[in-house]
Amino acid sequence: MLVWAVIVYDELEYLQQTVERVKECDKALYVMCDVNSPDSVKQFLQDEDVEYSEYAFDGDYSAMRNELDRRVRDLDRYEWICQIDADEIPTRNLLLETEGILAGAGVTKVNVCRFNCYTHQIDSIDVEALFQSVKTGEIYQMERLWNVEPIEMCKRLYRLDAGITWHGRIHEWPESDDDDWANLPMEADFCLWHEKTEARQQMQNDKYETYEEHRELAAKLAEQMAWKQAMRERF
């Protein structure tokens, strides 16, 4: 059995959407909020009778994800977990069909597609065309801050006995004895919908800037983007 496990701090509006959708699809849900999460978040989880626990975040994102895995594993009710952040809304097809796909797939670790977008961009984007252009290998550029790709495959879905351990204080990544990850479909109606305002993205990046690891990564990405732009101008 698969559980959709959500990490939340203060993202109440996003959390409300996810809880409503997971309940509509009659799927298992577990939430881990912060000890300092607003009372409104905790009250909502209580009112909706959502199973949750509290965690004291100490600045280490991988430690937080490892703790979420441990807590869900200790429930001894689930074989699979899909970790999602509060601002990642799973589509209905993703919720409804994933377990059936996993049932006979013979895999233990699976990448989940995520669509990233700013709220003000939605009305001007043909999302289906965007997904098609990525799948066919066409170059599709979309104006975004902070060099975030519009469509990416994320390592979030795995068996709880797959030996996954998360690493890195920030921009964390999962590792196991091998790096053999299967892929769920890359489709607009089969993904984690990751939409946010520019203001929220700016707030998040201001927080990330306090991490040396983030500043080093941002510098490397800036170099890569400069090289890509130079190549485009040449050709």
Side-chain angles (χ1 to χ4, degrees):
M1 185 176 181
L2 165 65
V3 63
W4 299 86
V6 182
I7 294 173
V8 63
Y9 178 65
D10 63 354
E11 305 91 344
L12 179 58
E13 182 178 349
Y14 294 104
L15 180 64
Q16 290 170 330
Q17 294 180 62
T18 295
V19 169
E20 179 182 6
R21 184 162 295 175
V22 173
K23 284 190 170 185
E24 284 178 355
C25 296
D26 194 27
K27 297 301 178 182
L29 176 67
Y30 183 87
V31 175
M32 190 171 77
C33 67
D34 193 88
V35 293
N36 294 315
S37 289
D39 291 340
S40 57
V41 169
K42 299 175 185 179
Q43 188 61 54
F44 169 74
L45 292 170
Q46 294 169 17
D47 292 345
E48 293 296 318
D49 197 26
V50 174
E51 185 171 23
Y52 80 97
S53 61
E54 298 182 23
Y55 174 74
F57 179 65
D58 63 358
D60 189 325
Y61 286 90
S62 62
M64 178 172 62
R65 291 196 183 276
N66 286 326
E67 179 62 17
L68 178 57
D69 281 349
R70 186 192 68 78
R71 294 186 184 189
V72 171
R73 193 178 293 113
D74 286 348
L75 295 174
D76 199 26
R77 295 202 300 268
Y78 307 107
E79 295 177 332
W80 288 82
I81 185 172
C82 185
Q83 285 207 18
I84 57 178
D85 296 337
D87 59 358
E88 297 170 342
I89 313 300
T91 60
R92 287 180 176 82
N93 285 349
L94 182 66
L95 290 168
L96 291 170
E97 299 179 22
T98 295
E99 284 186 271
I101 292 174
L102 296 175
V107 298
T108 61
K109 303 181 294 296
V110 185
N111 287 309
V112 181
C113 180
R114 184 173 75 173
F115 171 61
N116 304 303
C117 186
Y118 288 126
T119 300
H120 76 270
Q121 295 174 318
I122 288 296
D123 292 340
S124 61
I125 295 175
D126 184 334
V127 178
E128 293 287 350
L130 172 60
F131 270 79
Q132 186 63 24
S133 68
V134 172
K135 289 190 292 184
T136 59
E138 297 177 23
I139 296 175
Y140 189 104
Q141 295 181 0
M142 184 171 66
E143 181 183 355
R144 279 192 52 90
L145 298 176
W146 308 109
N147 190 35
V148 177
E149 295 293 337
I151 298 173
E152 59 184 330
M153 301 301 289
C154 300
K155 293 177 168 62
R156 297 291 189 80
L157 176 63
Y158 44 88
R159 285 185 60 95
L160 286 163
D161 60 2
I164 290 292
T165 303
W166 289 84
H167 300 269
R169 285 204 317 145
I170 189 173
H171 304 309
E172 65 280 9
W173 67 94
E175 290 184 358
S176 63
D177 291 338
D178 63 70
D179 195 36
D180 187 16
W181 290 75
N183 292 315
L184 284 178
M186 182 186 289
E187 300 290 347
D189 62 353
F190 208 95
C191 68
L192 297 173
W193 189 276
H194 189 219
E195 175 190 339
K196 64 177 66 175
T197 64
E198 287 191 54
R200 187 164 190 89
Q201 182 69 61
Q202 180 66 59
M203 180 179 66
Q204 179 178 331
N205 279 278
D206 288 344
K207 182 178 181 180
Y208 284 173
E209 283 294 327
T210 64
Y211 291 79
E212 178 64 26
E213 297 94 330
H214 174 78
R215 295 194 296 271
E216 292 176 353
L217 177 61
K220 291 179 181 178
L221 290 175
E223 291 178 2
Q224 293 175 6
M225 290 301 292
W227 179 84
K228 290 180 180 178
Q229 184 59 36
M231 293 300 101
R232 294 191 186 103
E233 291 174 354
R234 285 181 59 186
F235 299 102

